[in-house]
Amino acid sequence: VFYLSGNNITLCNFSMEIYHAFEDIEGSGIYIRGSDIIIDGIQMDYYVPPETRAYGIYADGARKSVVNNLKIINSNVYFVANNVYSKVSNHCVDLYYCNNTLLENNTFTGSFPLKDVNFGPVGADESSETVVLLGVIMSDYTRLNANTFITNIDDRFGDYPTLDAIFIYGSNFCNM
């Protein structure tokens, strides 16, 4: 719905309901590839289509192109996952190579199936988790202030199913 590929961008005070995934932006409601971006006062309701990779908000940096200084404030994201039979990811908010992020005064609500962890050759890592409310991966100096995180379980799949409300991997100097 929104592809933010630039710097010094502000989105504020709007509502959206999403019923379709957009493959060209990783199935994201808001896809971020820039720095100094502010998301303020949004209401997002995302109902993920069946067996589709999807993210409510996805800040998709890279080792050589890190997203910097993202602020998500005063917002509500409601995310209904629908990946019970597949190994595709459904994450409400995902920060990937995203440094100096502030998440403040938000409510993140997700309805997820419980899923088995997809262990790789070295164990669990960022690609192992298919149901996550907030993922902070390789994202240093992330700050979470006065947020509410709510997870609901709507199905169970696998032998040892799990759900990550907050998943932090390879991120340093985070303040929760």
Side-chain angles (χ1 to χ4, degrees):
V1 177
F2 284 96
Y3 180 173
L4 307 178
S5 179
N7 299 318
N8 300 304
I9 298 170
T10 300
L11 292 178
C12 63
N13 301 321
F14 67 89
S15 298
M16 61 181 163
E17 287 187 10
I18 305 169
Y19 297 93
H20 305 281
F22 301 91
E23 290 182 25
D24 55 337
I25 56 172
E26 304 292 340
S28 305
I30 299 174
Y31 183 79
I32 300 165
R33 272 260 167 108
S35 291
D36 299 302
I37 292 175
I38 299 171
I39 298 171
D40 184 4
I42 67 154
Q43 172 68 46
M44 177 192 296
D45 297 327
Y46 193 163
Y47 303 90
V48 177
E51 313 312 327
T52 302
R53 179 179 180 194
Y55 304 88
I57 299 173
Y58 186 19
D60 186 18
R63 187 179 308 231
K64 293 182 180 180
S65 181
V66 175
V67 171
N68 283 301
N69 304 317
L70 171 64
K71 292 181 184 176
I72 302 172
I73 55 177
N74 306 314
S75 295
N76 295 299
V77 179
Y78 178 70
F79 185 85
V80 179
N82 199 350
N83 63 340
V84 72
Y85 300 111
S86 66
K87 293 184 179 182
V88 297
S89 295
N90 280 188
H91 297 188
C92 181
V93 176
D94 213 50
L95 309 175
Y96 187 73
Y97 282 101
C98 187
N99 292 339
N100 301 305
T101 297
L102 173 65
L103 301 176
E104 185 170 72
N105 197 35
N106 302 293
T107 299
F108 301 111
T109 304
S111 181
F112 297 96
L114 292 178
K115 302 276 295 202
D116 280 343
V117 174
N118 297 322
F119 291 101
V122 294
D125 62 15
E126 75 274 8
S127 63
S128 302
E129 306 298 327
T130 58
V131 286
V132 176
L133 189 64
L134 171 64
V136 180
I137 299 104
M138 309 305 282
S139 297
D140 296 340
Y141 301 100
T142 300
R143 293 170 292 146
L144 303 178
N145 298 326
N147 297 288
T148 301
F149 299 94
I150 302 167
T151 57
N152 301 304
I153 298 167
D154 63 12
D155 208 335
R156 175 190 165 104
F157 184 75
D159 297 323
Y160 303 99
T162 186
L163 164 65
D164 291 315
I166 300 174
F167 179 76
I168 301 171
Y169 180 85
S171 301
N172 300 300
F173 311 108
C174 296
N175 186 350
M176 314 285 160

